[in-house]
Structure formats: C-alpha cells, structure tokens
Amino acid sequence: MFNLILFGPPGSGKGTQSEKLILQYHLKHLSTGDLLRSEINAQTPLGIEAKKFMDKGQLVPDEVVIGMISSALDTYPDVKGFLFDGFPRTSAQAEALDKLLELKRAPINIMIALKVTEEELVKRLLKRGQTSGRSDDDNDVVIRTRIGEYNKKTAPVADHYKSINKMVMVKGEGTVDEIFNALCKEIDNRMRQ
Ligand code: B4P
C-alpha cells in the first residue's frame, strides 16, 4: 500500500489537488470534510452535531472524526492506498491514525504540506463562498476562526511526521497544474525509495 496525507490550512487546495492525485495514483480518497458534509446533507445525528462546530469554524470533536475514518478504512480493504485529505487535524487524530494503520501493517509513506499565505487563503475561501453554498466559507470571521484552529491545533501535527522524516513542504500558490506537478515529483521520489 502507499498512504499519503495531504496537509495544509483551510483553502490551501487539499481538495482540489486530491481530485487529481487519486486519478494519477489510483488511491482511495478519504476527505473528512466531504464525509462530514455528506452526513450533514443526510441529516444524520452525527451530521447535525458536526454542523454546529463547522458553522462556527471549529474542529469537529476527535472521537467523531476518528470513528468515521476507522469505518472508512474497513470499508475499503483491497485498495492500493489511501489519500487522507484534511485528516489528521489534531495530535490525537494522528496517534489514532498511526494505530489504525499499524493494524493493517501499512504506515503513512509521505505527508505533503501545502504552504499558502493567510491573505491568499481568505481570498480563495471568500470566493468559493460566493458559489459553494458552504456556510463556513461566506464569512470572514468564520474563515479567520478556521485558520486560527489550524495554527493552534493542526499545524503541530506536521512536527510528528517531520520527526520521522516523512514530511515535505510544497508551495501551494501558482496554477493548479504547477502545484500538481510539484506534488507528483515528491510522490514519485518517495515511491522510488
Ligand atoms: P475541509 O472540507 O477539509 O476543507 P478546507 O480545509 O476548507 O479546504 P481545502 O484545503 O480542501 O481547499 P480546496 O481545495 O477546497 O474542512 C471543512 C471543515 O470540516 C473544517 O473547518 C472542520 O470544521 C471540519 N473538519 C474536516 N476534517 C476535520 C477533522 N479531521 N477534524 C475535525 N474537523 C474536521 O480549495 C479552496 C478554494 O481554493 C477552492 O475554491 C479552490 O477552487 C481554490 N483553489 C484551489 N487551488 C487553487 C490555486 N492553485 N489557485 C487559486 N485558487 C485555488
């Protein structure tokens, strides 16, 4: 298996690049944001609870997200690998993921962190908010809260993967294709090792 984490602040392009990467490398895309939004659309108890946090720009509690990922991993036992998009977002989530993957004897091969300035993030998310219908995208205060949550709780997760030599940083500004090519270069390098 080849397991990849695409990491970065809200609006850094994780979702955009994931769509292209899964086609290139035939990986199963696991986006916790997408999974949560489908629970919200289906109005499940989990979705109704998660929406309260997401609308405020806060992270959804760890146990909810970890449970979702755990069952998603069991749903796809025969894939070539997973692309984790927007997960792990806290140290507790990273520890849980390590344990779940240990059971499968299939560790994370690489974490790629997309680097984008805060002003560019806010600009992109407000622009998406004009058309996406996402309530967490159309308000400057909520967007700044999401970035604050990232800086406080999510950014430290990268240190864990850095310490085990699995983290690489890629510039997340430029055209979608330029960024995609830079990501592929890092993945191809790691696959050859
Ligand atoms: P997510 O769904 O993960 O979304 P995101 O961080 O907003 O966006 P992403 O980085 O994927 O950006 P995208 O490609 O779409 O999270 C939403 C919420 O769910 C969180 O705030 C949290 O509440 C909750 N949640 C999710 N996972 C969780 C977890 N593990 N634990 C707890 N809570 C969790 O790009 C954004 C925009 O930029 C798009 O409009 C795109 O077109 C544009 N764009 C992309 N690349 C560009 C480029 N190169 N140039 C210009 N624009 C670009």
Side-chain angles (χ1 to χ4, degrees), residues 5 39 45 48 65 70 97 130 138 150 171 173:
I5 296 172
E39 297 279 347
I48 291 165
V65 186
S70 172
L97 180 62
Q130 291 167 4
D138 60 7
Y150 172 82
K171 189 170 159 228
E173 291 184 49

Side-chain angles (χ1 to χ4, degrees), residues 33-97:
D34 288 351
L35 290 170
L36 289 166
R37 281 185 289 277
S38 38
E39 297 279 347
I40 292 173
N41 290 338
Q43 299 204 326
T44 64
L46 190 157
I48 291 165
E49 189 55 26
K51 190 173 185 315
K52 294 182 198 156
F53 294 90
M54 292 168 77
D55 280 352
K56 286 188 262 181
Q58 295 167 353
L59 292 180
V60 174
D62 284 334
E63 57 274 19
V64 174
V65 186
I66 292 167
M68 251 174 25
I69 285 286
S70 172
S71 48
L73 290 179
D74 291 340
T75 310
Y76 307 101
D78 298 320
V79 293
K80 286 183 70 175
F82 291 99
L83 190 169
F84 297 96
D85 163 4
F87 181 90
R89 258 175 155 101
T90 63
S91 301
Q93 292 179 19
E95 279 167 31
L97 180 62

Side-chain angles (χ1 to χ4, degrees), residues 8-17 31-34 36-37 53-54 57-61 65 85-89 93 120 124-125 128 134 136-137 146 172-176 179:
S12 55
K14 303 182 295 286
T16 304
Q17 295 297 333
S31 157
T32 39
D34 288 351
L36 289 166
R37 281 185 289 277
F53 294 90
M54 292 168 77
Q58 295 167 353
L59 292 180
V60 174
V65 186
D85 163 4
F87 181 90
R89 258 175 155 101
Q93 292 179 19
E120 173 70 12
R124 286 183 189 179
L125 292 173
R128 182 170 67 184
R134 271 179 61 170
D136 58 346
D137 275 351
R146 287 163 65 193
E173 291 184 49
T175 68
V176 169
I179 299 162

Side-chain angles (χ1 to χ4, degrees), residues 1-6 27-28 73 79-84 97 101 104-111 166 190-191:
M1 273 179 109
F2 187 88
N3 291 319
L4 157 70
I5 296 172
L6 198 54
L27 300 174
K28 177 69 196 163
L73 290 179
V79 293
K80 286 183 70 175
F82 291 99
L83 190 169
F84 297 96
L97 180 62
L101 291 177
K104 297 188 177 298
R105 296 182 196 288
I108 292 296
N109 296 83
I110 186 169
M111 165 196 261
K166 295 207 168 160
R190 190 58 61 133
M191 281 180 162

Side-chain angles (χ1 to χ4, degrees), residues 146-159:
R146 287 163 65 193
I147 295 172
E149 287 272 273
Y150 172 82
N151 289 332
K152 197 164 78 188
K153 298 177 185 165
T154 306
V157 172
D159 294 337

